[in-house]
Amino acid sequence: GAVVSQHPSRVICKSGTSVKIECRSLDFQATTMFWYRQFPKKSLMLMATSNEGSKATYEQGVEKDKFLINHASLTLSTLTVTSAHPEDSSFYICSARDTAKGWAAKNIQYFGAGTRLSVL
Amino acid sequence: DAKTTQPTSMDCAEGRAANLPCNHSTISGNEYVYWYRQIHSQGPQYIIHGLKNNETNEMASLIITEDRKSSTLILPHATLRDTAVYYCIVRALSGNTPLVFGKGTRLSVIA
């Protein structure tokens, strides 16, 4: 299957700092990528949809000024957690679908390995 | 996307078949059944999907009832590495909406 690379896999930062997470589709183009967040023992919650060349669409309750998303190319989306606080500590996961294949992609979403953010 | 119902947890002996059920009684005619799994501290992994015919790949088999209101994911010979949370999701083949995850089934494969 297609490969989605996410970096870093783990980050520890001080409260008030900003953290950038990168998500790359390695062998396919993705005009749309998705960002999820997962708290311990909970399911994945969609945070936002990242659109190449345009603004991201955020889910209700997700602060767009806190979670900045940039999708500057067909293979890269970034999520920046600004002024991180301990309550932002979570497992962040990105996902992408091969949009160039259309129907042939079978609407399968591929996921990165996730980034575990710990804010002290 | 239609709602799905899965058992919270299941155990399976190593080497035996793991049968994971999913109810999706409100599935629409154009919606497929997708299965993903998430091993601890990793991103979800695609397993298989189907519309109405049974499907099989190198990872699993998917059995969908004739009325499409339920399905079963079968791992034919479960190993310890199959311990994970398994998610059953129904969605259309087309469109660009993201996957919406329920609570899934936590499968524990026991030696």
Side-chain angles (χ1 to χ4, degrees), chain B residues 16-67:
Chain B
R16 304 296 293 271
N19 298 287
L20 293 95
C22 179
N23 287 321
H24 32 80
S25 59
T26 59
I27 191 170
S28 299
N30 67 336
E31 290 181 319
Y32 285 64
V33 181
Y34 289 79
W35 281 84
Y36 282 76
R37 73 178 182 184
Q38 185 180 24
I39 295 171
H40 183 62
S41 294
Q42 297 183 24
Q45 177 189 23
Y46 165 78
I47 301 174
I48 199 168
H49 76 284
L51 180 64
K52 54 182 179 181
N53 297 321
N54 297 337
E55 301 287 344
T56 295
N57 63 18
E58 64 278 4
M59 291 184 68
S61 294
L62 174 60
I63 308 298
I64 303 173
T65 58
E66 193 170 342
D67 63 7

Side-chain angles (χ1 to χ4, degrees), chain A residues 27-72:
Chain A
D27 50 359
F28 64 98
Q29 293 182 344
T31 56
T32 302
M33 293 186 179
F34 307 104
W35 288 95
Y36 293 81
R37 179 169 54 182
Q38 186 175 33
F39 292 105
K41 299 187 185 299
K42 299 293 185 182
S43 189
L44 284 80
M45 295 296 295
L46 180 68
M47 297 176 66
T49 299
S50 171
N51 303 300
E52 187 265 334
S54 65
K55 292 182 179 180
T57 305
Y58 291 82
E59 295 299 301
Q60 191 172 9
V62 178
E63 299 176 56
K64 61 179 170 59
D65 294 329
K66 180 166 187 62
F67 299 100
L68 300 180
I69 291 173
N70 183 275
H71 194 152

Side-chain angles (χ1 to χ4, degrees), chain B residues 96-109:
Chain B
N96 203 22
T97 55
L99 287 169
V100 176
F101 289 82
K103 296 182 179 180
T105 296
R106 182 172 298 276
L107 175 69
S108 299
V109 181

